[in-house]
């Protein structure tokens, strides 16, 4: 069995539509870092709370993206409440 390299990011957004526009604009940067798939989950009782699941071809590239200027730029441009990052001990 092969396990996928998955990064989960939890956000609380101020405005989902604006956030999604910025998030989509950074899609090419994610793909250049090896991101193969993205899934955005919204809470039914609070649609401003999100979990973003990104699937990566290479764990090393995922680690590079998490500390990249591309991610920092997206976070600076997106209308977020304070982001909360959790790290698995293997990431």
């Amino acid at each position: 069995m092969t396990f996928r390299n998955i990064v989960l990011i939890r956000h609380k957004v101020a405005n989902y539509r604006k956030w999604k526009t910025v998030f989509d604009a950074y899609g090419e940067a994610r793909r250049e870092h090896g991101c193969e798939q993205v899934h955005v989950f919204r809470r039914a009782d609070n649609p401003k709370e999100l979990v973003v699941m990104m699937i990566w071809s290479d764990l090393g590239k995922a680690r590079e993206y998490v500390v990249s200027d591309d991610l920092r730029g997206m976070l600076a441009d997106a209308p977020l409440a304070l982001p909360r990052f959790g790290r698995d001990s293997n990431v």
Side-chain angles (χ1 to χ4, degrees):
M1 176 187 290
T2 302
F3 291 97
R4 306 301 307 250
N5 300 303
I6 296 174
V7 172
L8 296 172
I9 299 177
R10 183 175 175 191
H11 289 302
K12 186 178 273 190
V13 298
N15 180 307
Y16 177 77
R17 286 185 185 159
K18 289 180 182 178
W19 173 86
K20 185 72 163 90
T21 299
V22 172
F23 183 78
D24 289 346
Y26 281 84
E28 185 61 31
R30 285 190 301 276
R31 286 186 290 278
E32 287 174 2
H33 282 277
C35 183
E36 296 177 335
Q37 296 179 37
V38 174
H39 304 278
V40 177
F41 303 94
R42 296 171 73 185
R43 287 184 54 160
D45 63 335
N46 187 352
K48 291 183 177 187
E49 289 189 27
L50 315 175
V51 173
V52 180
M53 180 176 81
M54 295 180 278
I55 300 172
W56 299 82
S57 58
D58 180 274
L59 183 58
K61 290 182 179 182
R63 287 179 173 149
E64 289 174 8
Y65 179 75
V66 169
V67 297
S68 72
D69 289 338
D70 291 319
L71 179 59
R72 274 193 283 281
M74 198 258 332
L75 291 174
D77 292 345
L80 295 175
L82 293 176
R84 290 179 21 186
F85 290 92
R87 283 187 64 149
D88 182 287
S89 60
N90 295 319
V91 176

